[in-house]
């Protein structure tokens, strides 16, 4: 039975036991983030140093936060309504400005990046707050708190954009830290109280599908990135092996997340008495680890395809090893929240990666990467075998 809304309300119609579909405009909105992920990958490749890795991780955190906040909003507001659709187009433009500024975010384009980010966060939050005022009083109060938190973080964003060097990074770390702490703290505001996850009446199936689509975006970007590099190289046995290795790692990562975890998690959150709690932990926070892992795997594959033989340097070893490690850790924690246990296959995979780590000093880049991919394939095969055993 459909949930009734007041005339003119912008909320999605909810139907019991029915999954809210992801709209075409939401998929169109996601295209900006294909570009953003590509920009982060290329920036990391060009500046693979301790500072460069820290800055890339920070930029990923900011990009993810823009995207996941918007996914929460379109879980409540109907993207088929023209005002909501226009909001998404505005956010797309601001996301495109952010993505263009991203490679020089810590250089000449800092204010452009920060200005676009703050504008997107505040425009979306204020629009949602106004839209929910009569239709959902609890969430209206929630977005009052969120807007106040975003105003506070926005001051640090803009101050950082006007600063330079370490001061900029420091101010931006404070800004993003405020925003990441917000959901965990219930957006507590003196005089306005704090939000409870039970107030966040998310439609679990929709939000899980949105996050799964972002994983597809990240995997697709990694395929495009390695494919473009491989296309420029001569066809040799070594190059073909490196290319096949890259493809297998992408397939294994897809399998580990989608074969069991994604669908099971969707059913779990849809049946939960407190879907907001699961959405906050499993999707809002933990999925960024998966995306980070995919980006690092893509960077490692790019480095290996470009230089498959010879000595394995430190940055190649870090990317090849840390990518699968982050991805397995993210899946491990995600499945712990949504399934109730730590998958043994993932624990074994992380252990094998730790055992593999010292081998970077003796194995060539391709050999080291083949071993890491073999671990991902093993975990994926273990997942498939586990499912068959349960179905038998």
């Amino acid at each position: 039975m459909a949930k009734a809304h007041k005339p003119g309300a912008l909320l999605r119609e909810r139907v019991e036991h029915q999954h809210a579909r992801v709209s075409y405009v939401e998929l169109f909105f996601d295209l900006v983030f294909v570009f953003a992920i590509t920009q982060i990958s290329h920036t990391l490749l060009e500046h693979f140093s301790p500072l460069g890795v820290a800055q890339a991780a920070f930029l990923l955190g900011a990009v993810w936060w823009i995207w996941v906040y918007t996914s929460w909003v379109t879980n409540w507001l109907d993207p088929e309504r023209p005002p909501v659709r226009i909001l998404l187009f505005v956010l797309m433009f601001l996301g495109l400005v952010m993505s263009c500024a991203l490679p020089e975010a810590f250089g000449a384009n800092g204010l452009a990046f920060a200005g676009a980010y703050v504008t997107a966060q505040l425009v979306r939050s204020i629009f949602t707050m106004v839209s929910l005022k009569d239709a959902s009083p609890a969430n209206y109060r929630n977005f009052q708190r969120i807007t106040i938190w975003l105003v506070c973080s926005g001051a640090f964003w803009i101050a950082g954009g006007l600063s330079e060097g370490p001061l900029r990074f420091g101010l931006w770390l404070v800004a993003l830290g405020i925003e990441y702490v917000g959901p965990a703290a219930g957006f507590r505001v003196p005089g306005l109280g704090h939000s409870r996850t039970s107030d966040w009446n998310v439609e679990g199936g929709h939000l899980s599908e949105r996050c799964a689509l972002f994983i597809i975006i990240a995997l697709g970007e990694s395929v495009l990135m390695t494919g473009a590099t491989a296309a420029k190289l001569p066809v040799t046995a070594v190059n073909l092996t490196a290319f096949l290795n890259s493809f297998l790692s992408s397939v294994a990562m897809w399998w580990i997340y989608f074969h069991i975890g994604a669908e099971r998690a969707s059913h779990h959150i849809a049946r939960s008495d407190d879907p907001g709690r699961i959405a906050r932990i499993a999707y809002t926070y933990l999925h960024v680890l998966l995306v980070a892992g995919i980006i690092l795997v893509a960077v490692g594959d790019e480095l290996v395809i470009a230089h498959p033989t010879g000595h394995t340097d430190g940055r190649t070893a870090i990317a090849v090893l840390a990518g699968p490690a982050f991805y397995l850790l993210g899946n491990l924690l995600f499945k712990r929240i949504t399934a109730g246990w730590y998958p043994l296959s993932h624990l074994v995979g992380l252990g094998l990666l730790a055992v593999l780590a010292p081998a970077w000093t003796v194995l060539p880049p391709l050999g080291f990467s083949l071993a890491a991919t073999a671990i991902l394939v093993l975990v994926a095969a273990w997942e498939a075998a586990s499912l068959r055993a349960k179905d038998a």
Side-chain angles (χ1 to χ4, degrees):
M1 183 177 181
K3 179 180 178 181
H5 297 302
K6 295 182 179 181
L10 299 180
L11 270 67
R12 283 180 181 266
E13 295 291 336
R14 299 238 179 132
V15 180
E16 291 183 11
H17 311 299
Q18 183 172 319
H19 177 83
R21 75 177 184 88
V22 175
S23 64
Y24 292 127
V25 71
E26 289 175 278
L27 297 176
F28 186 43
F29 170 80
D30 289 350
L31 291 178
V32 170
F33 293 88
V34 177
F35 181 40
I37 295 296
T38 301
Q39 292 282 71
I40 292 171
S41 298
H42 288 168
T43 301
L44 183 56
L45 267 173
E46 294 173 8
H47 306 284
F48 205 109
S49 63
L51 178 60
V53 170
Q55 290 178 344
F58 172 86
L59 293 170
L60 172 61
V63 166
W64 169 256
W65 217 234
I66 284 278
W67 183 89
V68 79
Y69 263 43
T70 305
S71 295
W72 275 81
V73 165
T74 55
N75 191 270
W76 292 309
L77 301 185
D78 186 357
E80 299 302 324
R81 305 291 181 93
V84 181
R85 188 171 287 180
I86 292 170
L87 170 69
L88 289 178
F89 293 153
V90 170
L91 295 177
M92 282 181 70
F93 174 75
L94 292 170
L96 191 60
V97 173
M98 275 182 57
S99 299
C100 290
L102 196 150
E104 287 296 322
F106 290 94
N109 294 335
L111 188 57
F113 180 86
Y117 181 93
V118 171
T119 302
Q121 291 286 66
L122 289 177
V123 164
R124 184 192 56 246
S125 185
I126 293 170
F127 178 93
T128 307
M129 180 177 65
V130 173
S131 300
L132 295 173
K133 183 174 183 179
D134 296 323
S136 179
N139 257 336
Y140 167 68
R141 181 57 60 89
N142 183 34
F143 272 89
Q144 284 182 312
R145 302 183 190 104
I146 291 173
T147 302
I148 291 171
W149 276 69
L150 292 177
V151 168
C152 293
S153 65
F156 287 95
W157 278 109
I158 298 303
L162 293 170
S163 305
E164 295 181 356
L167 179 58
R168 172 178 294 176
F169 200 6
L171 289 168
W172 280 0
L173 284 172
V174 172
L176 195 61
I178 290 172
E179 296 189 20
Y180 268 72
V181 168
F187 300 105
R188 185 180 295 276
V189 174
L192 292 178
H194 70 281
S195 303
R196 297 181 297 271
T197 54
S198 57
D199 296 333
W200 304 341
N201 57 331
V202 296
E203 202 284 286
H206 173 266
L207 188 62
S208 66
E209 185 177 354
R210 293 295 290 124
C211 289
L213 288 171
F214 200 94
I215 300 301
I216 289 289
I217 287 173
L219 287 171
E221 189 279 332
S222 71
V223 171
L224 290 172
M225 187 173 172
T226 53
T229 300
K232 300 174 184 176
L233 300 174
V235 179
T236 65
V238 171
N239 289 342
L240 285 175
T241 302
F243 182 64
L244 177 61
N245 173 65
S246 170
F247 177 72
L248 283 176
S249 67
S250 297
V251 170
M253 286 189 292
W254 181 93
W255 198 283
I256 289 167
Y257 180 81
F258 286 98
H259 184 59
I260 299 177
E263 189 67 24
R264 181 175 58 200
S266 179
H267 291 312
H268 179 66
I269 191 174
R271 295 194 301 265
S272 173
D273 294 331
D274 190 2
R277 183 187 67 84
I278 297 172
R280 182 183 66 182
I281 300 172
Y283 292 101
T284 303
Y285 285 121
L286 293 182
H287 266 60
V288 72
L289 293 175
L290 304 179
V291 180
I294 293 170
I295 290 174
L296 281 168
V297 169
V299 169
D301 287 340
E302 174 96 354
L303 293 170
V304 170
I305 288 174
H307 303 286
T309 59
H311 175 68
T312 301
D313 60 23
R315 67 173 188 164
T316 301
I318 291 170
V320 166
L321 204 65
F326 271 107
Y327 191 75
L328 288 179
L329 177 62
N331 272 284
L332 176 80
L333 298 175
F334 171 62
K335 292 173 183 178
R336 170 63 181 86
I337 296 298
T338 56
W341 65 83
Y342 294 105
L344 180 59
S345 60
H346 295 44
L347 290 169
V348 171
L350 288 168
L352 290 174
L353 287 171
V355 171
L356 175 64
W360 75 274
T361 59
V362 294
L363 289 176
L366 180 55
F368 191 63
S369 183
L370 283 168
T373 298
I375 293 171
L376 286 175
V377 171
L378 172 65
V379 174
W382 192 329
E383 287 279 272
S386 298
L387 182 61
R388 284 198 302 270
K390 289 179 181 178
D391 292 340

